[in-house]
Amino acid sequence: MVELTMWLLAVSALFSFATANVHTMAKVTDNPADQLVATLNSNRTSHKGSSLYNNPGLACIALQYIKAYAGKCEDVGGPDAKRPADSEFAETFAPDCGVLASSLAPITGRSLGCQSKYVSPSEAFSEILMKNNKSLEILYNKNHTEVGAAVSGSDGGAPYFWCVLFSSGKSNSSFVLEGGVAKVTKPGCFSGANDECSGAVDRSLTPELWTILVGAVIALFCVFRF
């Protein structure tokens, strides 16, 4: 009975260790959406452009923009590309975030990408969002004054969407959040929220960790069995 208890405790500890490692491996340092904005602003300033204000209200709307695709990566880019109607910004996205409709400002650019594999924010910027001249024209547009970025997986996993919205609004009065805080919008991460976020990353056990966990359980069974 004592051996069985010890065996169960050991298995429980191993499982906790494995899931903790999944959390550590999957967790994005700070917030990937903020990191994307930092990369974007760094690129703009290196090309003599201005750094854009990271607006959390606009960023939350970017996350709602992603959710409008309902995980359909095939609707992003290409000849059959689709995008939400402009009316959805005031009718759906703003209310879902708690953004005051009266504070909405013109959207001066949109950049959206999707793929099956999660990548770092810098890779998403260069390999997914800014891979053609049209994207670069949007990035360097001088009419932009603020930006909001979001990243989200579908149901906590692939595919992964990256979205950047640009606006010509004023940082003090555009995309204002009721009470100063966005409504809960998980899963997903958005920039400007001054928090850490890893809600865009799949936290399921990888095949490698499953192999390690199962192997360890078998080894423990042999030890306590004999």
Side-chain angles (χ1 to χ4, degrees):
M1 185 66 182
V2 173
E3 288 185 354
L4 177 60
T5 301
M6 291 177 64
W7 185 80
L8 290 174
L9 288 172
V11 171
S12 177
L14 272 172
F15 187 80
S16 297
F17 173 79
T19 53
N21 274 281
V22 170
H23 177 83
T24 301
M25 292 169 62
K27 185 177 181 180
V28 178
T29 303
D30 297 324
N31 186 324
D34 278 327
Q35 292 171 7
L36 178 59
V37 169
T39 300
L40 180 154
N41 273 330
S42 176
N43 191 279
R44 277 179 58 93
T45 55
S46 68
H47 286 78
K48 311 301 181 183
S50 61
S51 180
L52 304 177
Y53 171 64
N54 189 0
N55 189 315
L58 180 58
C60 181
I61 287 178
L63 184 56
Q64 302 311 311
Y65 193 90
I66 287 175
K67 293 182 178 182
Y69 282 84
K72 296 180 180 178
C73 212
E74 64 273 15
D75 288 346
V76 178
D80 299 321
K82 301 176 182 178
R83 73 178 194 178
D86 290 342
S87 60
E88 289 197 56
F89 281 86
E91 296 173 1
T92 305
F93 303 155
D96 286 348
C97 283
V99 171
L100 297 173
S102 59
S103 68
L104 293 177
I107 299 296
T108 51
R110 314 179 194 189
S111 184
L112 179 72
C114 176
Q115 69 172 29
S116 59
K117 180 182 177 181
Y118 182 82
V119 297
S120 69
S122 60
E123 289 177 299
F125 176 79
S126 60
E127 298 176 12
I128 301 175
L129 298 173
M130 302 296 161
K131 58 183 181 181
N132 57 46
N133 290 332
K134 183 178 180 181
S135 298
L136 292 174
E137 287 177 7
I138 294 173
L139 174 64
Y140 300 132
N141 189 319
K142 294 182 179 180
N143 293 323
H144 304 328
T145 57
E146 53 187 358
V147 63
V151 54
S152 181
S154 300
D155 296 324
Y160 297 96
F161 289 78
W162 297 81
C163 179
V164 178
L165 296 180
F166 300 92
S167 173
S168 58
K170 296 181 179 180
S171 59
N172 294 330
S173 58
S174 59
F175 303 99
V176 176
L177 294 165
E178 296 179 23
V181 180
K183 291 182 179 178
V184 177
T185 56
K186 301 297 183 183
C189 305
F190 63 93
S191 65
N194 296 317
D195 64 354
E196 292 189 359
C197 179
S198 57
V201 184
D202 183 6
R203 297 184 178 213
S204 59
L205 284 177
T206 63
E208 292 80 6
L209 283 174
W210 272 118
T211 300
I212 294 172
L213 181 61
V214 171
V217 170
I218 292 174
L220 279 173
F221 176 78
C222 292
V223 170
F224 287 107
R225 177 68 175 81
F226 300 103

